[in-house]
Amino acid sequence: MAPTKTQRVHLRVAVADDELLRSAAAAERKTLSEFLVDSGRARAERVLADRTRFTLSPAEWQSFTAALDRPAREIPALAELFRRPRPE
């Protein structure tokens, strides 16, 4: 069972955009709302995936995990930076 839809989004668009969106929705045999929600959801997932997930080749993965497994090393300039009081 689909979740109940309770939220509204109001949009103002140019005439040309309205015509384009309605044509695309009709081509996919969807209502304008279905088309916009499906398209917006797909785009939102891509935008957020770019910020939360990444893919690596096997060689890149090996380098990445090797870097994570290396012991931490102290960088004196960075340690000094963290010892300074925070600017007010």
Side-chain angles (χ1 to χ4, degrees), residues 58-71:
E60 291 169 328
W61 177 253
Q62 190 173 4
S63 295
F64 177 71
T65 56
L68 291 176
D69 291 340
R70 275 195 305 269

Side-chain angles (χ1 to χ4, degrees), residues 5-82:
K5 297 174 184 172
T6 60
Q7 301 300 309
R8 279 189 181 270
V9 176
H10 299 277
L11 301 171
R12 292 188 185 273
V13 297
V15 172
D17 290 335
D18 181 65
E19 292 169 355
L20 177 65
L21 294 168
R22 288 179 188 280
S23 294
E28 291 198 357
R29 291 187 164 83
K30 293 183 177 184
T31 66
L32 180 59
S33 290
E34 289 169 332
F35 179 79
L36 291 173
V37 169
D38 290 349
S39 300
R41 183 185 305 109
R43 176 73 174 131
E45 288 170 352
R46 281 194 311 274
V47 166
L48 295 175
D50 286 348
R51 289 160 174 76
T52 58
R53 298 183 196 123
F54 59 95
T55 57
L56 301 171
S57 69
E60 291 169 328
W61 177 253
Q62 190 173 4
S63 295
F64 177 71
T65 56
L68 291 176
D69 291 340
R70 275 195 305 269
R73 62 185 170 90
E74 184 173 327
I75 301 170
L78 191 56
E80 171 58 29
L81 178 65
F82 281 109

